[in-house]
Amino acid sequence: MAGNKYILSIDQGPASRRAIVFDPSGSVLGVGQKEFKQIFPKPSWVEHDAEEIIATQIDCIKDAVKNA
């Protein structure tokens, strides 16, 4: 991958996140995906831990690049 240009896309969903590495033509080269904990403090409320969001997103990026 060195010396070439790629696109890293980050998808932050309500229950999981993923990172995808694309080549310039749009082909998927690698994907990383992780679920994260949802916290329900009251009915109809959902919270997430900000530190967990960052940590799992970094893991997804690492996995996507490794898989590429």
Side-chain angles (χ1 to χ4, degrees):
M1 287 179 41
N4 295 318
K5 294 185 179 188
Y6 298 91
I7 299 165
L8 173 67
S9 174
I10 297 171
D11 174 29
Q12 176 66 47
S16 72
R17 63 194 34 86
R18 76 180 50 134
I20 306 170
V21 176
F22 297 92
D23 69 13
S25 70
S27 296
V28 174
L29 300 178
V31 177
Q33 182 176 1
K34 303 249 183 240
E35 292 184 3
F36 57 94
K37 181 175 51 177
Q38 297 195 39
I39 303 161
F40 301 97
K42 294 182 180 182
S44 301
W45 287 27
V46 180
E47 296 179 355
H48 300 106
D49 180 318
E51 291 180 2
E52 183 183 14
I53 289 172
I54 296 291
T56 55
Q57 191 61 71
I58 290 168
D59 288 344
C60 288
I61 292 167
K62 288 178 180 178
D63 289 348
V65 170
K66 184 177 102 179
N67 292 332

